[in-house]
Amino acid sequence: MTEFNYETEIDVRFRDLDSMGHVNNAVYATFLEHARTLYMDDVFGDRPEEINVALVNLEIDFRRQVRFRETVTVGVGVTEIGESSATMAYEVTTGDELAATGETVLVAIDDEGNSRPLPDAIREGIREFEDL
């Protein structure tokens, strides 16, 4: 498993389950979103809604079922920084077992929804935190 500079724990709720009794595949996207939001809040020092980025790509590979009353740990980190985008990698684990991996691409946007360069403060905050 990958070492991440940022991790958060999430308790699986009953509402996260599907009719087969395991966490529904769509909930994994919510796990990643939750970890990403906390990461941005802690690392960037701003509230995520003030950063103004759009999610343009999401990939999740499922490795193991997760069930009710388990706690997942989501590791998250920025792996690439472009002019206007950032690629983030994720691992979802329960105990010592890998449950899923993921990747997202975020693009900084202006008030009209057009891409814009990532602010220097955010770029530098990521580089410092991730040692890029």
Side-chain angles (χ1 to χ4, degrees), residues 20-34:
M20 297 181 66
H22 58 253
V23 172
N24 183 276
N25 63 312
V27 173
Y28 285 80
T30 303
F31 290 163
L32 303 189
E33 176 186 56
H34 183 71

Side-chain angles (χ1 to χ4, degrees), residues 53-119:
V53 293
L55 180 71
V56 298
N57 188 55
L58 166 66
E59 296 177 19
I60 301 173
D61 291 317
F62 303 97
R63 309 294 176 136
R64 167 198 188 281
Q65 293 182 23
V66 175
R67 298 197 173 275
F68 184 50
R69 294 196 173 100
E70 288 188 289
T71 298
V72 297
T73 301
V74 183
V76 57
V78 174
T79 57
E80 290 182 48
I81 305 172
E83 178 64 27
S84 63
S85 65
T87 301
M88 300 182 83
Y90 308 80
E91 281 188 354
V92 179
T93 58
T94 183
D96 290 332
E97 295 185 62
L98 182 63
T101 59
E103 184 177 275
T104 59
V105 177
L106 303 169
V107 173
I109 58 172
D110 62 21
D111 292 337
E112 287 77 43
N114 300 310
S115 71
R116 64 176 175 90
L118 284 168

